[in-house]
Every structure is written in structure tokens, then in C-alpha cells.
Amino acid sequence: MAPVLPLVLPLQPRIRLAQGIWLLSWLLALTGGLTALCSGHLLIQLRPLGTFLAPSCPFPALPQVALAAGAVALGTGVMGAGASRASLNAARYPPWRGVLGPLLVAGTVGGGGLLVLALGLALGLPGSLGAGLEEGLGTALAHYKDTEVPGHCHAKRLVDELQLRHHCCGRHGYKDWFGVQWVSSRYLDPNDQDVVDRIQSNVEGLYLIDGVPFSCCNPHSPRPCLQSRLSDPHAHPIFDPRQPNLNLWAQGCHGVLLGYLQGLASTLGSILAVTFLLQALVLLGLRYLQTALEGLNGVIDGEGVTQGYLFPGGLKTAWLQAGVSHRPAPEEALPEEAPPVEGLPAA
């Protein structure tokens, strides 16, 4: 069978092909490094923010797979640059002849598979991020008061840092704090009749108030922060509860985190797409260069015209050469000639 996608490569096109692969390989190494850096940055951001994701949310898998894909792309780029540069020198190329085969297989199966998986995660996982944040933020707000409960003692500090750093309040707004008990029972006076009435009026026995933690306060507000009795229009002079952004952070943390993490995932997905394209070009170029040089016994400066290709004799032949045994059909046996009949003696 004829080779798959053959390409005739005289001397000068072979040299230009090697030079182009060298340039593309360094670009691949650069984008692979950027992929690894962006993945590492997202992993670092998820260390504190992972508390506000549901345990079942698969979003943290994106930077982990992308980090592995970036590392493989970086290695493929460096090796491709070395192989293409060595192919310009007949004395330096022979040691690379045994490396190109495993490099092409590892780059195609390992690197390509990781890049495709990471791209799929970058496209699909941000859609599930909203539900993960919805559940995770609700759990974090509910455990805000549990400063002495093992496993939740850091919830208050993490929520306060989140609201101060990202300028947000509550899950979808400051009124989310009205539906959870965020003051620990340790700091409630059991002899206070107002406290007793609030607890008894709640079916779950929670102490609910129309107030917010200090981390919801906007430091740019011209007046002191108002944290309690926010739903009472007569409690605070010259304060309109319909415009809390003058005193509190206006946005909820769900929308802020969703936009922030989706922005990071979008940037990472764009870099992954460029890395995938460069890796495909480098691997294709290396394959053509490898097969072209094998036709000249590895001598790139040979004057003869050689042919590069993807597979030597079609996909079927390529699989057979990869290790699938094949037994040719037996040829039909030619009919044996009858022995010459000796003439009978005349009677």
C-alpha cells in the first residue's frame, strides 16, 4: 500500500523543515511553561477558595490535569528542539534516531491525551462551578459561628478573609446572613430576654438577627459601618436600607467567585488550545523529518530526494508493524506438471 500523506522533500526543504520544527518546538516549550504556570496559579488560588466549593465539585481536577499536560508539552518542546537541531548535523543526529520514535509515541499518546482531557475539562467544568459554589458557600456561612468545633474552627476566618479580599457579602447578598446564626452561642447572654425570644421564635432554635459580620463593611463608606437592625428603616438616621452598597459590599460572594474562577479557567483553556495546536504541528513535523531522514540513512545533507510520510503503508500496515502479527495468505500452489509419458514401443 502507498504511504499515508507522502511529501517529497529535497535537500533545501528538509533543512527548512528542521529549522521550522526547531522554532515551533521552542514556542511549544514556552506555551507548555505558561500552561504549567497558569495551572499552578489556579491551584494556589484554590487552596483557600476550595473551602467554598462542594466536596463533589470536580473543578479542582482542571488545574491538576493541565499542570501535567503543560509539563509534558514543555518536555516535548525541549526534546523536539534538540532533535531538529541535531538533524542538521550528520555527526550529531545518529544518537537521536532511537529517541524520536519513543518521543513521537509519548508526545502523541501521553501529551496529546492530557491536552485533550484538559481542554475538555476547561470547556465543561466551569458549568458545574456555580452549583459547587452554591453548596460550598452555604455550608461555610452555616459554620461561621463554629469557632470551637473541630473541623470548622477556621470557617469564620476564611469567610472574613474572603469577604474582605473580594469585596463581597453573603452568598448572593448581605441578606443571606439574616437566615443563618452567625453569632456563636458562647457569646449570647441566656438571661437576655431578647435573646431568649429570638431563639424560641425559631423552629430550629437558632439566634437569627438582621445583621452582618464586620467583614461585610465597605471601608470606603463615608459613615461608620452599620451591622445590625439593617431591615429597620427607623433604626439608623439618614440610612436607606434599599441602598446598602453605601455601607456594605453590594455583591454576593457567589457571583464574585464564579466570575473570578471562570476567568482563570478561560485563560487556561485558551493557553491549552494554543499548546495543543503547537504540539500537533511539532509532532507532525518531527514525523516527516524522521521518515525522510530514514530514507537517507540519517544524513540530512544528502543530495538525494527522499519522501516523508505519516505511516509507511496505510493505517493497517502501521498497526501491523506496531506488533500485530500478520500471516500472509498462502499462495495457490501451481499445478504440478505431469511427468512426460514415454513413448510405447510400436507393436
Side-chain angles (χ1 to χ4, degrees), residues 87-320:
S87 67
L88 296 173
N89 190 328
R92 297 175 57 186
Y93 179 70
W96 285 92
R97 295 179 67 180
V99 177
L100 274 179
L103 174 63
L104 290 171
V105 173
T108 303
V109 178
L114 285 173
L115 283 172
V116 170
L117 178 58
L119 275 172
L121 292 175
L123 293 174
L125 286 186
S128 64
L129 183 60
L133 286 172
E134 185 77 20
E135 179 182 345
L137 285 170
T139 303
L141 265 63
H143 290 295
Y144 183 88
K145 67 181 187 303
D146 300 330
T147 54
E148 297 181 357
V149 177
H152 302 292
C153 55
H154 299 295
K156 178 183 180 300
R157 176 180 59 82
L158 292 175
V159 172
D160 286 334
E161 291 178 352
L162 170 68
Q163 296 188 143
L164 289 172
R165 179 180 179 183
H166 291 276
H167 297 177
C168 58
C169 182
R171 182 164 45 179
H172 297 287
Y174 74 100
K175 289 187 178 180
D176 290 333
W177 289 106
F178 298 178
V180 297
Q181 179 180 339
W182 55 272
V183 179
S184 174
S185 300
R186 178 184 179 183
Y187 304 107
L188 297 178
D189 185 3
N191 299 320
D192 190 332
Q193 189 60 39
D194 180 67
V195 172
V196 175
D197 292 342
R198 286 182 180 273
I199 294 177
Q200 291 180 350
S201 63
N202 185 269
V203 293
E204 298 180 2
L206 299 177
Y207 178 74
L208 303 182
I209 58 174
D210 53 348
V212 296
F214 77 96
S215 53
C216 283
C217 295
N218 184 352
H220 304 292
S221 173
R223 66 173 299 161
C225 184
L226 304 178
Q227 298 176 244
S228 61
R229 302 177 63 184
L230 296 177
S231 59
D232 186 356
H234 306 291
H236 307 287
I238 320 177
F239 173 71
D240 187 358
R242 294 171 298 180
Q243 296 180 345
N245 57 317
L246 298 178
N247 187 74
L248 306 174
W249 298 123
Q251 292 181 298
C253 294
H254 182 276
V256 172
L257 288 184
L258 183 62
Y260 178 67
L261 293 178
Q262 283 184 341
L264 292 178
S266 176
T267 301
L268 181 57
S270 301
I271 299 176
L272 283 169
V274 175
T275 303
F276 177 79
L277 177 61
L278 287 174
Q279 181 153 319
L281 292 176
V282 168
L283 293 176
L284 285 174
L286 285 175
R287 176 58 177 169
Y288 275 106
L289 185 63
Q290 178 198 30
T291 53
L293 292 181
E294 289 301 323
L296 296 172
N297 295 323
V299 183
I300 195 170
D301 55 355
E303 295 293 340
V305 176
T306 185
Q307 180 177 258
Y309 48 81
L310 291 183
F311 299 105
L315 295 176
K316 181 177 180 181
T317 305
W319 279 108
L320 295 178

